[in-house]
Amino acid sequence: MLSVSGIAIGVASLLLLQAFTTGFQRSIADFLSSANPPVIVYAPGNGALDRGDIALVERVAGSEHGLGAISPFIEKAAVAAGDNGEVAGVMARGVDWHSEFAITGLESLVGPQPRGAAVGRILADRLGLSEGDTIRIASTESATISATGRAVVDTILSLPVSRVCDFGLEEYNSGLVLMSLEDAGALFHLRGCATSIGVGISKGSDPVAAAAALGAALRREYVQRGYPRFLMCDAFLERHANLFRAFGLERMAMTIVLGLITVVALLNLSSALSMIAMEHRRDLGVLRAMGAPPGSILGMSLSQGLVIGLAGCAFGGAFALAVEYFVNTLVPIRLEGTVYWISALPAALLPGQAAAVLLFTLAACLAASLFPALRALAIPPAECVRNE
Amino acid sequence: MSEAAVLSCEGIVKSYRQGEGLVEVLKGVDLEVTPGEILAVTGPSGSGKSTLLNILGILEPPDRGIVRIASADAWSVSESRRAAMRNRSLGFVFQFHHLLEEFTVLENVMLPALIAGRSRQEAAGAAAALLEEVRLMPRAGHFPSKISGGERQRAAVARALVCRPDVVLADEPTGNLDSGNSMKLMDLVRNLSSAHRQAFVLATHSEELASRADRILRLAEGRLH
């Protein structure tokens, strides 16, 4: 029973670790992706994409498995000013609201029918802006320096602030201004063009794999079919690859630490089976005297290990599933949203991860029961049945 | 070796390490066991009777010499083949019965038949018939701890016989029994031997028990006389 408990605790620890780290990573990824398309196409040097480029990406994305609708957007550096006289460097992004809402979670941040500009929370504070105020934006690309040494811009766009948003990311909250594609086209003299094209993915698809597939297809268009421009693409989450690498490293370190619990449980199992083998040493000798082949003695010990492993996996797995259910439905683990970006820690136990933990545990239980069996078999049967 | 021998050994030498020295317990033992005979090997404690029985039962190898079971050299075959030889050709009765405490008397007697690959039903039938023969059927469902010493030893004899082996090797089978039960067990051995033509090799230091065997060999100074 102690051996089963040890294995169950080890299995439950490993499964819950996987469940919580996966849940946390997914939530963070979803949160980061909510203001951005999962896959982004751009030209080398961030040059403008014309209608032909947009049509090509739409056609290629439509024919690739796992990819969905597209949404061209313009993203460029600009300066913005509010009513308090402050000026700030910003990232102005113009999107086609309708198609952008179809591939991102932006609608939940800016509302269903935005007019004017949506401004990041920190930027709004800095410029003294609130909803209904006017933000003035000028392109830095068109700026020139006058004879008197003053900066002169040719276009200044004034837009009403329709929403002050919390985009989740510090860099967005302190510098992002969202507007319509038409307004951005007018500001940057890019009417009918875009600087990037967002591409949606179908539910359950891996954005990194989808981006790789689209990149390969676009490369084929350029190399084999003679399309005049080479277009590149990557997944939005790849731009935060270091964050996810850090998550992965943390998960690996914790798996090793919690794996040690399982190793201790396995040593306990091996020692318990050794004790059983020693206690039943005479019985094993009698069985061998009756003609039980070494393989059957080995099989008996392995089946004991397997039964203990199965029971441990069953109890540990059931406990982990119960915790996952309670955490996701009845008693959520609350987090400080401003610190962790998400307000609750979800658990997501993936079948593949669970299968790997359970199979590893069962194999380790068999290995742990092999040693006592081999030790028992090494004792000659005559020694086991000798009269004491 | 005569044609009729079911178990034989030639030139068996066995020594054990004792402290820094080597004690030679068996110094060239030759023996043949014919079907249906009851052979008593006598000798004082420590003379090597148990060692000889273990070597004859291929539970431990000799340092030198050959053990033949139905004319096959038992130590020139694989371990699994040797296990099959122990199961089909040999039966063992130990001084302290060595019944498995977790199993009932019936299950203990069934074990060798199950190891031989017989079905549970077949094994139970054979075990029940033998328990009837040794007058233990009323105790078939009891655990070894709940029956007397004499009954345990009768159950051990039944277990040794369930696969109908050619030879039963019994090491001090009455060593743990009083005189009355010893004689009853010897009567049982004689009846079974004549009924099934199975040979019995009894290692005993009891001259009284040995006197009831067909042949008596004395083990002294590492040799049979």
Side-chain angles (χ1 to χ4, degrees), chain B residues 81-161:
Chain B
R81 176 90 181 85
R82 217 166 12 253
M85 280 180 170
R86 280 198 288 265
N87 181 247
R88 290 185 187 126
S89 304
L90 302 170
F92 293 88
V93 178
F94 306 99
Q95 181 180 353
F96 293 100
H97 66 80
H98 289 347
L99 296 173
L100 306 190
E101 298 293 337
E102 290 89 349
F103 296 95
T104 64
V105 168
L106 179 73
E107 288 164 344
N108 265 288
V109 178
M110 284 166 66
L111 273 173
L114 292 173
I115 290 170
R118 286 156 79 176
S119 72
R120 207 176 160 73
Q121 203 176 5
E122 247 185 304
L130 268 165
L131 285 176
E132 199 69 65
E133 246 179 294
V134 300
R135 301 184 311 282
L136 264 184
M137 203 49 207
R139 301 291 206 177
H142 289 62
F143 286 96
S145 58
K146 302 291 176 196
I147 59 176
S148 71
E151 288 172 328
R152 280 180 215 154
Q153 210 57 320
R154 271 149 56 201
V157 170
R159 182 180 65 183
L161 291 169

Side-chain angles (χ1 to χ4, degrees), chain A residues 20-43:
Chain A
F20 282 122
T21 50
T22 303
F24 184 69
Q25 279 188 29
R26 278 188 168 185
S27 300
I28 294 294
D30 289 347
F31 183 78
L32 289 179
S33 304
S34 60
N36 292 277
V39 176
I40 299 166
V41 177
Y42 55 96

Side-chain angles (χ1 to χ4, degrees), chain A residues 83-102:
Chain A
D83 292 336
N84 63 0
E86 283 283 333
V87 176
V90 299
M91 183 60 70
R93 187 191 295 178
V95 299
D96 175 64
W97 297 115
H98 181 70
S99 60
E100 189 74 9
F101 288 171

Side-chain angles (χ1 to χ4, degrees), chain A residues 22-349:
Chain A
T22 303
F24 184 69
Q25 279 188 29
R26 278 188 168 185
S27 300
I28 294 294
D30 289 347
F31 183 78
L32 289 179
S33 304
S34 60
N36 292 277
V39 176
I40 299 166
V41 177
Y42 55 96
N46 282 328
L49 303 170
D50 60 23
R51 289 181 207 280
D53 298 330
I54 295 168
L56 171 76
V57 172
E58 187 168 26
R59 177 171 60 78
V60 172
S63 62
E64 283 294 320
H65 178 71
L67 291 164
I70 67 158
S71 177
F73 63 91
I74 293 170
E75 190 173 69
K76 277 190 171 286
V79 287
D83 292 336
N84 63 0
E86 283 283 333
V87 176
V90 299
M91 183 60 70
R93 187 191 295 178
V95 299
D96 175 64
W97 297 115
H98 181 70
S99 60
E100 189 74 9
F101 288 171
I103 63 169
T104 66
L106 210 55
E107 190 172 7
S108 62
L109 297 173
V110 300
Q113 288 173 323
R115 296 269 186 274
V119 181
R121 178 171 53 83
I122 299 170
L123 178 65
D125 278 351
R126 190 171 158 196
L127 299 181
L129 294 168
S130 52
E131 286 173 20
D133 293 345
T134 299
I135 183 170
R136 285 168 291 139
I137 308 163
S139 163
T140 51
E141 282 182 2
S142 62
T144 53
I145 305 295
S146 71
T148 57
R150 296 173 74 97
V152 179
V153 292
D154 65 353
T155 311
I156 295 178
L157 191 67
S158 292
L159 294 171
V161 175
S162 64
R163 184 71 68 102
V164 173
C165 299
D166 184 348
F167 293 110
L169 276 173
E170 165 75 17
E171 63 179 287
Y172 286 180
N173 282 341
S174 60
L176 184 64
V177 178
L178 281 171
M179 63 193 75
S180 72
L181 191 61
E182 291 74 27
D183 289 338
L187 177 64
F188 297 112
H189 308 295
L190 287 170
R191 282 195 177 84
C193 296
T195 57
S196 305
I197 302 166
V199 184
I201 56 172
S202 50
K203 198 172 167 61
S205 293
D206 174 20
V208 177
L214 181 59
L218 291 172
R219 205 162 35 249
R220 276 198 301 276
E221 291 292 331
Y222 176 70
V223 175
Q224 294 170 8
R225 294 182 188 158
Y227 188 75
R229 285 191 82 185
F230 177 56
L231 300 179
M232 300 168 78
C233 87
D234 53 30
F236 171 74
L237 289 178
E238 281 181 299
R239 296 179 178 184
H240 295 274
N242 283 342
L243 175 67
F244 290 97
R245 272 192 210 108
F247 284 154
L249 199 64
E250 190 184 8
R251 179 203 288 251
M252 191 174 73
M254 288 181 75
T255 303
I256 291 169
V257 171
L258 291 180
L260 288 177
I261 293 178
T262 314
V263 171
V264 170
L266 289 168
L267 288 176
N268 176 42
L269 168 67
S270 192
S271 135
L273 289 175
S274 288
M275 287 294 292
I276 291 170
M278 288 302 110
E279 278 171 15
H280 289 78
R281 167 190 156 123
R282 199 191 65 196
D283 295 346
L284 291 175
V286 171
L287 286 172
R288 290 178 69 189
M290 288 192 294
S296 71
I297 304 284
L298 203 65
M300 279 163 58
S301 181
L302 289 180
S303 61
Q304 257 183 327
L306 188 66
V307 166
I308 290 171
L310 283 172
C313 285
F315 286 123
F319 180 75
L321 284 175
V323 170
E324 186 196 19
Y325 175 76
F326 275 99
V327 164
N328 287 342
T329 56
L330 302 175
V331 197
I333 298 173
R334 297 277 170 216
L335 295 178
E336 181 52 61
T338 54
V339 177
Y340 295 104
W341 297 340
I342 53 174
S343 56
L345 177 61
L349 193 52

